[in-house]
Amino acid sequence: MPHPDDAPQVVAITGASGRIGRLVVPLLERPGRTLQLVDTDLPDRVDDGPWGEWSDPARVELHRASIEDEDAIRSALDGADAVVHLAALASERPWVDLVRVNIDGTQKVLEAARLGGARRVLLASSIHAIGFADATDAATTRVLVPRPDTYYGVSKATLEALGSVYADRFGMSVVSARICAFGAEPGRGRGLVQWLSPADAARLFEAAIALDDGRHHIVWGVSASGAGSFDLSAGRAIGFEPQDDAIAHTTERDGVAPEVPRAAGPVGGSFTDDDHPLGGSW
């Protein structure tokens, strides 16, 4: 496993100004690396964006492009050594919209990455790709087969399948990260063990950026507090070792240890309920 200092030096990030990107992208900046930030909603100047201050703004490029636009995304990703693909519809939507953006858009990103010379790709999958899996199986199984709980989950399971195709056919190193509950602060209840902190997300992205084995990997995107609820061995195998603990963080913040519910039933929770609509908004 290459050390991150030996990783590719031109890294493109789609969805760079989105919910995850605005918190994690600044953590990927370092001397010698150029970040190509790709999104449909970008400022004219990098310092005017949602990411805060940069140590070296000259090493940050802005590319206003949609993943639905084949020509635009190919131009935006041209010359990147690695791609972090975060752009997507991030919740349940009508089927046609999820196909257009999350499935067709991911295929366009992977093809643009291949044609542009990128050999490493991180794909943002989701816990909803296996929402119907039992919590016990999630804790004891290295990689769960897809059991999506929504059309959104289907779009993420398909994203993983596309990543597998591009790894096997073209020898690209692709990591599909099943992101759980990303946020600057952990949630309550089940959200404590499902938390993915920005710093751990950056550690996961760095592991994928450094990977060079020509294979597809499916790993959990979860922080260290998820170790008892999710089998983290696949992530550790690619060099991802989460460090943040939601329970310790919440205890320190609130002065009292939070109650952590026993894991039971499907990991998708209420998204697996019979009355949870398919194709509607969350």
Side-chain angles (χ1 to χ4, degrees):
M1 174 69 59
H3 186 275
D5 286 344
D6 300 323
Q9 296 306 301
V10 181
V11 178
I13 303 105
T14 71
S17 63
R19 183 176 63 92
I20 295 177
R22 65 183 58 201
L23 294 179
V24 179
V25 166
L27 303 179
L28 303 178
E29 185 191 19
R30 68 159 180 261
R33 171 179 287 174
T34 296
L35 296 178
Q36 297 177 180
L37 307 187
V38 184
D39 211 314
T40 56
D41 183 18
L42 291 174
D44 293 328
R45 296 175 62 256
V46 65
D47 288 336
D48 294 333
W51 310 282
E53 295 184 1
W54 299 91
S55 61
D56 186 1
R59 302 289 293 182
V60 182
E61 301 175 1
L62 300 178
H63 297 265
R64 192 174 288 112
S66 168
I67 62 172
E68 299 177 60
D69 186 328
E70 183 175 358
D71 291 337
I73 199 63
R74 286 189 181 182
S75 177
L77 300 188
D78 187 48
D81 299 310
V83 175
V84 175
H85 177 42
L86 304 177
L89 296 175
S91 63
E92 182 72 338
R93 304 290 179 90
W95 174 252
V96 65
D97 295 332
L98 289 163
V99 169
R100 186 186 76 253
V101 180
N102 290 12
I103 297 177
D104 289 348
T106 295
Q107 186 277 329
K108 289 181 175 66
V109 167
L110 283 165
E111 184 68 358
R114 180 184 75 86
L115 294 174
R119 304 298 301 167
R120 287 87 166 228
V121 178
L122 181 288
L123 300 176
S125 185
S126 170
I127 190 175
H128 293 287
I130 51 84
F132 271 102
D134 189 84
T136 300
D137 293 331
T140 58
T141 306
R142 182 180 174 93
V143 178
L144 293 163
V145 299
R147 294 187 63 186
D149 53 24
T150 49
Y151 288 157
Y152 171 73
V154 171
S155 77
K156 292 301 184 176
T158 306
L159 168 145
E160 296 175 1
L162 285 165
S164 180
V165 168
Y166 273 78
D168 287 338
R169 183 166 288 273
F170 302 114
M172 297 168 67
S173 300
V174 182
V175 174
S176 294
R178 288 173 172 169
I179 294 173
C180 294
F182 175 85
E185 293 287 327
R188 302 286 182 178
R190 189 184 296 226
L192 289 165
V193 297
Q194 293 185 355
W195 185 45
L196 175 64
S197 72
D200 278 333
R203 294 181 184 104
L204 172 55
F205 296 174
E206 289 287 8
I209 290 167
L211 190 65
D212 187 19
D213 65 356
R215 298 172 55 198
H216 179 235
H217 302 263
I218 298 175
V219 307
W220 284 112
V222 70
S223 283
S225 42
S229 299
F230 300 95
D231 184 335
L232 303 186
S233 59
R236 290 180 173 130
I238 67 164
F240 171 49
E241 190 66 51
Q243 297 180 21
D244 293 334
D245 189 313
I247 298 167
H249 176 85
T250 302
T251 301
E252 181 179 356
R253 183 192 64 194
D254 298 345
V256 60
E259 181 178 352
V260 183
R262 184 178 66 87
V267 296
S270 62
F271 294 98
T272 66
D273 293 346
D274 291 342
D275 59 356
H276 193 284
L278 286 175
S281 62
W282 291 355

